[in-house]
Amino acid sequence: MAKRPADPTNGNAPAARQVPMRDFSRSLPMSLLRAREAVMRQFRPSLREHGLTEQQWRILRALAAIDGAEVTELARTAFLLGPSLSRILRDLEARNLIERKTAKADQRRSMVSISKEGVKLMASVAPSSEAIYAEITQRFGARKLAELQEMLGELELCLASAEARDEITDDA
Amino acid sequence: MAKRPADPTNGNAPAARQVPMRDFSRSLPMSLLRAREAVMRQFRPSLREHGLTEQQWRILRALAAIDGAEVTELARTAFLLGPSLSRILRDLEARNLIERKTAKADQRRSMVSISKEGVKLMASVAPSSEAIYAEITQRFGARKLAELQEMLGELELCLASAEARDEITDDA
DNA sequence: CGGAAATACTTAACATGTTAAGTGAATGCG
DNA sequence: CGCATTCACTTAACATGTTAAGTATTTCCG
């Protein structure tokens, strides 16, 4: 486990001065944050030109792939929290990029789908978006990219299972 | 590419999706986002118990390691944008966790440092934080973790250099 | 049937991300 | 010196992240 470089100012004194922890610029959360920011920085200008934020784009992509979904399902797919999604859907609906209709069987649920305008907008953004992705793939290497994504998936899974265990423990 | 022949026929058939774009749940930004979220989900409860957000914690850690820094330098270290940092510093100062003094040589700059209270708070959070990190390291594997971080760093570098090239091109 | 509990969202409140504009203090240079 | 420019922040405005509370609907169950 994480051994740190010796700290001459400290030793093992428990109560007094704090050890500088593992250089936090190399912590996992920071590495992930910086990598993601580096990637998103490539896409944001293009999205912005089309009047879309990253999250709005995620929602449209998710909707385009499934031809209608409930809000909760959409939240899971686009990896957004409910409140964020609620706001964004309100705005996207006002811009006529999506459509909603409450389900007949269950008035609580609402089905969301992309509108014709939404599809048109996607068509205008997709080429540039794909080009950027292709550029990244080429620069970083397709094989390496696949490896990276594989590891990211494993990390996610390994931590998700940690939480499942916590929940069981919590059950009082 | 990807003209989307609107296919209303498969309303509730999740099976055959004619994919206009690469399944976006496997896109690099989503992979990074989900991995990071999985990691942060482990830390947030502990930080919250101590009344700190993730960003406030980043700032304290950065300050603890360097014993005083200018705002711009701190922004780079903690990977925060100027406006976010300004707000957070205002709040941390109000809570007496940090101290500021304007530089004598240049009145525009202000030096920020962690206060005694700030150090004390860090000392109370650090053990749990380190324990969580150790748990993650153990679950995922130290070697694999190092590999992952190595790849993330390479990705960041490879995209940063892409931007450097863009800027040169823009310069005309 | 009827009320407690669960479900599917939505609102609210606060903190941060992101871009643009503002402010006051140094600098460059004619 | 004078003054436009640059610099180091800060404010502003809008969008999202995050948690808690609210609302309407449905389901569970006696």
Side-chain angles (χ1 to χ4, degrees):
Chain A
M1 102 122 145
K3 68 169 182 169
R4 305 189 203 82
D7 175 19
T9 70
N10 178 290
N12 277 347
R17 263 183 65 83
Q18 181 53 33
V19 181
M21 305 173 43
R22 173 189 56 269
D23 178 2
F24 95 115
S25 74
R26 276 171 208 127
S27 74
L28 181 56
M30 281 298 282
S31 295
L32 290 165
L33 178 58
R34 289 206 295 227
R36 183 173 144 79
E37 178 54 27
V39 173
M40 285 317 301
R41 196 189 303 283
Q42 315 292 314
F43 288 99
R44 258 190 287 268
S46 159
L47 290 178
R48 188 172 175 72
E49 274 178 24
H50 294 276
L52 287 175
T53 66
E54 177 198 334
Q55 292 83 354
Q56 293 166 347
W57 177 237
R58 286 219 299 274
I59 292 173
L60 291 184
R61 282 191 68 178
L63 285 177
I66 54 182
D67 240 57
E70 295 172 9
V71 173
T72 299
E73 183 190 354
L74 187 54
R76 191 176 42 72
T77 307
F79 207 68
L80 291 168
L81 294 177
S84 293
L85 185 54
S86 263
R87 281 177 304 214
I88 301 174
L89 288 180
R90 170 164 46 71
D91 298 347
L92 290 179
E93 190 177 18
R95 288 163 65 182
N96 293 315
L97 295 175
I98 64 165
E99 288 160 6
R100 322 171 73 160
K101 52 183 181 193
T102 55
K104 299 148 208 134
D106 187 337
Q107 303 278 7
R108 291 171 304 182
R109 298 161 194 270
S110 79
M111 295 299 287
V112 186
S113 57
I114 192 169
S115 71
K116 288 215 166 94
E117 268 197 66
V119 171
K120 208 154 48 170
L121 179 55
M122 281 204 67
S124 78
V125 180
S128 134
S129 184
E130 283 293 321
I132 293 169
Y133 202 95
E135 163 92 9
I136 292 173
T137 303
Q138 194 218 323
R139 289 185 73 89
F140 189 62
R143 172 181 306 267
K144 217 152 123 186
L145 184 55
E147 253 181 76
L148 173 56
Q149 303 220 44
E150 171 68 19
M151 295 187 84
L152 291 171
E154 282 174 35
L155 175 61
E156 196 186 338
L157 235 131
C158 132
L159 297 184
S161 67
E163 275 173 29
R165 186 216 49 195
D166 290 347
E167 276 165 29
I168 291 167
T169 307
D170 285 347
D171 265 349
Chain B
M1 62 147 278
K3 54 192 159 185
R4 231 178 119 357
D7 173 15
T9 61
N10 65 350
N12 29 5
R17 43 174 113 201
Q18 75 296 25
V19 184
M21 303 178 70
R22 172 190 55 270
D23 177 1
F24 96 114
S25 73
R26 276 174 208 125
S27 74
L28 181 56
M30 282 297 283
S31 296
L32 290 165
L33 178 59
R34 291 207 294 227
R36 183 173 144 79
E37 177 54 28
V39 173
M40 286 316 301
R41 197 189 302 284
Q42 316 290 316
F43 288 99
R44 258 191 286 266
S46 158
L47 290 177
R48 188 173 174 72
E49 275 179 24
H50 293 277
L52 287 175
T53 65
E54 176 200 335
Q55 293 82 355
Q56 292 166 348
W57 177 237
R58 285 218 301 273
I59 292 173
L60 291 184
R61 283 190 68 177
L63 285 178
I66 54 182
D67 238 55
E70 294 173 10
V71 173
T72 300
E73 182 189 355
L74 187 54
R76 190 176 43 71
T77 307
F79 207 68
L80 291 168
L81 293 178
S84 295
L85 185 53
S86 262
R87 282 177 305 212
I88 301 174
L89 289 180
R90 172 165 44 72
D91 298 348
L92 291 179
E93 190 177 17
R95 288 164 63 183
N96 293 316
L97 296 176
I98 65 165
E99 288 159 6
R100 323 171 73 159
K101 52 183 181 194
T102 54
K104 300 153 204 123
D106 188 337
Q107 303 278 8
R108 291 172 304 182
R109 297 159 196 270
S110 78
M111 295 299 285
V112 186
S113 56
I114 191 167
S115 71
K116 288 215 167 97
E117 269 197 67
V119 171
K120 207 154 49 170
L121 178 55
M122 281 204 68
S124 79
V125 180
S128 134
S129 183
E130 283 292 323
I132 293 169
Y133 202 95
E135 162 93 10
I136 292 173
T137 303
Q138 194 217 322
R139 290 186 72 90
F140 189 62
R143 174 181 304 268
K144 218 152 123 186
L145 185 55
E147 253 182 77
L148 174 56
Q149 303 218 43
E150 171 68 19
M151 294 187 86
L152 291 171
E154 282 175 35
L155 175 61
E156 196 187 337
L157 233 129
C158 131
L159 297 184
S161 66
E163 275 173 27
R165 185 215 49 197
D166 289 348
E167 275 165 27
I168 291 168
T169 306
D170 285 348
D171 260 352

